[in-house]
Amino acid sequence: MTVSSAPGKVYLFGEHAVVYGEPAVPCAVERRATVSVEPREDDHIRVEARDLSLDGFTVEYAGSTGDHPDVNVPTPLVEAAIGYIDAAVEQALDAAGESDVGFDITVESDIPLGAGLGSSAAVVVAGIDAATRALGVELDAEEIADRAYRAEYAVQDGQASRADTFCSTMGGAVRVEGDDCRTLDTPNLPFVVGFDGGAGDTGALVAGVRDLRERYGFAADTVDTIGDIVREGEELLSEADPESDPDESLLVELGNLMNFNHGLLEALGVSSRSLDNMVWAARTAGAHGAKLTGAGGGGCIVALDPTPETQTGLRFTPGCEDVFRAELATEGVRAEAEHDDASTGETAE
Amino acid sequence: MTVSSAPGKVYLFGEHAVVYGEPAVPCAVERRATVSVEPREDDHIRVEARDLSLDGFTVEYAGSTGDHPDVNVPTPLVEAAIGYIDAAVEQALDAAGESDVGFDITVESDIPLGAGLGSSAAVVVAGIDAATRALGVELDAEEIADRAYRAEYAVQDGQASRADTFCSTMGGAVRVEGDDCRTLDTPNLPFVVGFDGGAGDTGALVAGVRDLRERYGFAADTVDTIGDIVREGEELLSEADPESDPDESLLVELGNLMNFNHGLLEALGVSSRSLDNMVWAARTAGAHGAKLTGAGGGGCIVALDPTPETQTGLRFTPGCEDVFRAELATEGVRAEAEHDDASTGETAE
């Protein structure tokens, strides 16, 4: 049994626009997906998923090239999760030069699925790391990030950016612009996440922005404008001392940029009633800024507030199902000690 | 006693950006301010205001150049209303070549104050028309619009655009870009207005956009982008048959542009929690699009829906105090027959 974990992320700035070559700044946060893999005697893949914001499911099928069987919880989210695990296994086999190895795979995650916190990237990154290590191959972080990107790219029909997978692999705050991926040295920002219990349809949301952008020059300009906000934001971050707590003026300025970014995302049609409701609740509670994070359409918002006020405010906001402080995850993908919770409940090695 | 009325308006597109020379398309709607004036023997101005979303007030003071006395309801909104009436009287005296004529003035309005429906422009336009006619001068519409603009400009410290006053004077849909004001021939759009019972501080909101625009290139770009939406919208309107009801595809496209425009206004910081809440309620109810109208910060939203659904949805939305269908007011400023309701309760002529 080989176990790896990788963090989810919030977007400080730049989701959606990053698909069109604009920069984005995602920040890894301490919510992790943990993937345990155990090579099998045959070439079957058995996936057991727990805690994916649903009741868990188990599915077994014949290798990454075989037909996918019926799933016991056949929701679109589960189908999506299987697709990512499948693509991760394919990358791991390719990296190890293997083709007919099967795995028992257990996925545990405290990152809600499809909610804008990068659950799929975390699963793919942890899955590639665990599966390659199980096959005796040690990939460096750059290669894990690259293979994870290729896995997402395949599953998402070419609509992926490197942002989520690079961020989940490296941890911390990162800056991604096309193929150019860098880690950023930033102070630990006081993120608060609100979750409406829902999920957006990433594919449809990305397609919606693409349609608007192709149809209207002003929508293309709006995407460019998001890139300008990101550039402004990273300049602010670069001037801050990464070793000390961010000072109030930095939080105020970052918050203003987050608010502006959120409005442009709302213009692009990727917000939702409950996301806007949580964004306003956070601002009303005193957050320096708040925006949706990720693809939108439902799921999570991220706010900036060093005080407990925003958490309290969101906790009393109807439609906000969960609130938590999201510490910056300075570690990206990492090997985990095998533990009972992560076992499949069958034989541990 | 001379009585004039002028309509309020909703912004189909372009508020705020119009201040910076971008085009805007306000549409006059059948909510009117009625101003009755009666020249006095002395040069005092006595203003009685009713139905201005507050309990009414009466104030008397010595001429437009004299000191303003205490008002019995000294809210900022009343102060503002007096400022507009004052400026309208000044314009009327100037047009008539008079200087020492006083008036008893009664203002009645079913346009909520400061709520984005152009209450101040309607009062100024109707006031100038009534006061000049009372002095035996008949101004043409262009001059009324121009003088009303100058009155607003004076009261608002140079932050006025010609949009509100031109629209209220001419009626119907208009297109204003800097000093270039035109009437548009449009079909009667199915406007629904939701009102949160509040008001925004127009001066502070306009100043907020100005600050953002001076500070950030991306905010200036966002203002420009609003102009592009307006140009797109007016092209759609120009292709529609003004004689028949708008077809669904036009409403869908206009609605998309309204939604986009709202997001950009939200980015510029001029929306509010209750405005966004009503916007989402309207969209959820099936409106083709919805946006705040006017300066924002509170007040009204305008939605596009030929069915009763949006009205019903807004009626059941907590925080929405009033909902009404806003028919396009094809008539702008007009003389009204004197009627008892419009009299000051004192001697009618």
Side-chain angles (χ1 to χ4, degrees):
Chain A
M1 174 82 48
T2 313
V3 187
S4 295
S5 76
K9 57 99 204 38
V10 294
Y11 268 92
L12 184 58
F13 309 115
E15 53 272 89
H16 282 289
V18 73
V19 175
Y20 304 101
E22 297 296 333
V25 177
C27 300
V29 296
E30 270 307 341
R31 286 256 157 162
R32 292 189 164 254
T34 302
V35 178
S36 311
V37 305
E38 178 72 39
R40 290 167 62 111
E41 299 300 311
D42 58 20
D43 68 347
H44 285 208
I45 308 281
R46 182 177 182 283
V47 178
E48 187 177 340
R50 302 174 187 168
D51 305 321
L52 293 175
S53 297
L54 37 86
D55 296 332
F57 63 92
T58 306
V59 56
E60 180 169 342
Y61 53 96
S64 60
T65 52
D67 284 342
H68 286 188
D70 288 343
V71 186
N72 66 343
V73 189
T75 71
L77 286 175
V78 171
E79 304 270 4
I82 292 174
Y84 289 110
I85 291 164
D86 213 28
V89 167
E90 206 170 323
Q91 286 294 330
L93 293 176
D94 184 63
E98 302 273 0
S99 61
D100 54 355
V101 184
F103 294 98
D104 284 334
I105 299 177
T106 305
V107 180
E108 291 181 291
S109 175
D110 50 5
I111 311 166
L113 272 188
L117 297 184
S119 55
S120 65
V123 166
V124 167
V125 167
I128 290 175
D129 187 60
T132 48
R133 290 196 298 113
L135 296 171
V137 178
E138 200 81 31
L139 303 182
D140 64 17
E142 274 69 24
E143 185 166 356
I144 294 172
D146 185 57
R147 287 193 173 273
Y149 163 67
R150 283 146 64 186
E152 281 217 331
Y153 189 90
V155 177
Q156 292 169 197
D157 286 331
Q159 297 285 346
S161 87
R162 289 180 182 275
D164 285 25
T165 42
F166 183 76
C167 183
S168 185
T169 306
M170 300 300 174
V174 305
R175 193 253 195 216
V176 173
E177 181 172 6
D179 289 339
D180 179 31
C181 302
R182 302 163 190 212
T183 56
L184 296 178
D185 233 13
T186 65
N188 187 6
L189 297 170
F191 293 126
V192 176
V193 172
F195 176 38
D196 68 7
D201 179 341
T202 301
L205 291 155
V206 170
V209 173
R210 191 185 52 225
D211 290 350
L212 274 174
R213 199 172 160 276
E214 284 171 3
R215 178 155 190 192
Y216 298 119
F218 61 76
D221 292 343
T222 299
V223 169
D224 295 350
T225 302
I226 291 176
D228 294 336
I229 293 172
V230 180
R231 282 178 278 270
E232 189 79 31
E234 60 174 312
E235 196 169 314
L236 287 174
L237 287 173
S238 72
E239 291 160 4
D241 175 5
E243 299 307 320
S244 43
D245 281 339
D247 61 18
E248 170 129 353
S249 69
L250 173 65
L251 296 180
V252 167
E253 291 200 77
L254 289 175
N256 288 342
L257 297 181
M258 290 170 75
N259 288 339
F260 208 107
N261 195 161
H262 180 75
L264 299 186
L265 289 166
E266 140 75 357
L268 289 168
V270 300
S271 192
S272 75
R273 191 174 190 174
S274 65
L275 291 174
D276 273 18
N277 185 40
M278 291 191 293
V279 159
W280 278 110
R283 292 174 186 164
T284 306
H288 292 297
K291 61 183 280 296
L292 69 84
T293 172
C300 293
I301 64 142
V302 57
L304 224 48
D305 188 355
T307 78
E309 298 299 323
T310 296
Q311 280 164 277
T312 305
L314 283 169
R315 214 167 275 128
F316 283 88
T317 300
C320 180
E321 300 288 319
D322 193 16
V323 192
F324 54 91
R325 183 164 290 288
E327 297 290 333
L328 198 67
T330 48
E331 265 189 295
V333 65
R334 71 183 179 212
E336 298 284 350
E338 184 191 336
H339 56 96
D340 284 345
D341 281 357
S343 81
T344 59
E346 299 178 336
T347 346
E349 68 181 352
Chain B
M1 172 82 50
T2 312
V3 187
S4 294
S5 77
K9 58 99 204 35
V10 294
Y11 268 93
L12 184 56
F13 309 115
E15 54 270 88
H16 281 289
V18 72
V19 175
Y20 304 100
E22 298 295 333
V25 177
C27 299
V29 295
E30 269 308 340
R31 286 254 156 164
R32 292 187 164 258
T34 302
V35 178
S36 311
V37 305
E38 178 73 39
R40 290 167 63 112
E41 299 300 310
D42 58 20
D43 67 349
H44 284 209
I45 307 281
R46 181 176 183 282
V47 178
E48 187 178 338
R50 303 176 187 167
D51 306 321
L52 292 176
S53 297
L54 37 85
D55 296 333
F57 63 91
T58 306
V59 57
E60 179 169 342
Y61 53 96
S64 59
T65 52
D67 286 340
H68 286 189
D70 289 341
V71 186
N72 64 345
V73 189
T75 72
L77 288 175
V78 171
E79 304 271 4
I82 292 173
Y84 288 109
I85 291 162
D86 212 29
V89 167
E90 206 169 323
Q91 286 296 329
L93 292 176
D94 184 63
E98 301 274 359
S99 61
D100 55 355
V101 183
F103 293 99
D104 284 335
I105 299 177
T106 305
V107 181
E108 290 181 293
S109 175
D110 50 7
I111 310 168
L113 271 189
L117 297 184
S119 55
S120 64
V123 165
V124 168
V125 167
I128 291 175
D129 187 61
T132 49
R133 290 196 297 112
L135 296 169
V137 177
E138 199 81 30
L139 303 182
D140 62 18
E142 275 68 25
E143 184 166 357
I144 294 172
D146 185 57
R147 287 192 174 275
Y149 163 67
R150 282 147 63 187
E152 280 218 330
Y153 189 91
V155 177
Q156 294 169 195
D157 286 331
Q159 297 285 346
S161 88
R162 290 180 182 273
D164 285 24
T165 41
F166 183 75
C167 183
S168 185
T169 306
M170 299 299 172
V174 306
R175 193 253 194 216
V176 173
E177 181 172 6
D179 289 339
D180 178 30
C181 302
R182 301 164 192 211
T183 55
L184 297 178
D185 234 13
T186 66
N188 188 5
L189 296 170
F191 293 125
V192 177
V193 171
F195 175 40
D196 68 8
D201 179 340
T202 301
L205 291 156
V206 170
V209 173
R210 190 185 52 225
D211 291 349
L212 274 175
R213 199 171 159 276
E214 284 171 2
R215 177 154 190 193
Y216 297 119
F218 62 77
D221 292 343
T222 299
V223 169
D224 295 350
T225 302
I226 291 176
D228 294 335
I229 293 173
V230 180
R231 282 178 278 270
E232 188 80 30
E234 61 174 313
E235 197 170 312
L236 286 174
L237 288 172
S238 72
E239 291 159 5
D241 175 6
E243 299 307 321
S244 43
D245 281 339
D247 60 19
E248 171 128 353
S249 69
L250 174 65
L251 296 180
V252 167
E253 290 201 76
L254 289 174
N256 288 341
L257 297 181
M258 289 170 75
N259 288 339
F260 208 107
N261 194 160
H262 180 75
L264 299 185
L265 289 167
E266 140 74 358
L268 290 168
V270 300
S271 191
S272 75
R273 191 175 190 175
S274 65
L275 291 174
D276 272 17
N277 186 39
M278 291 190 292
V279 159
W280 279 109
R283 292 174 185 165
T284 305
H288 292 297
K291 61 184 280 295
L292 68 84
T293 172
C300 292
I301 64 143
V302 57
L304 225 47
D305 188 355
T307 78
E309 299 298 322
T310 296
Q311 280 164 278
T312 305
L314 284 168
R315 214 167 275 129
F316 283 89
T317 300
C320 180
E321 299 287 320
D322 193 15
V323 192
F324 54 91
R325 183 164 290 288
E327 298 289 334
L328 198 68
T330 48
E331 266 189 295
V333 64
R334 70 183 179 213
E336 298 283 350
E338 184 191 336
H339 55 98
D340 284 348
D341 281 358
S343 82
T344 61
E346 298 179 336
T347 345
E349 69 182 344

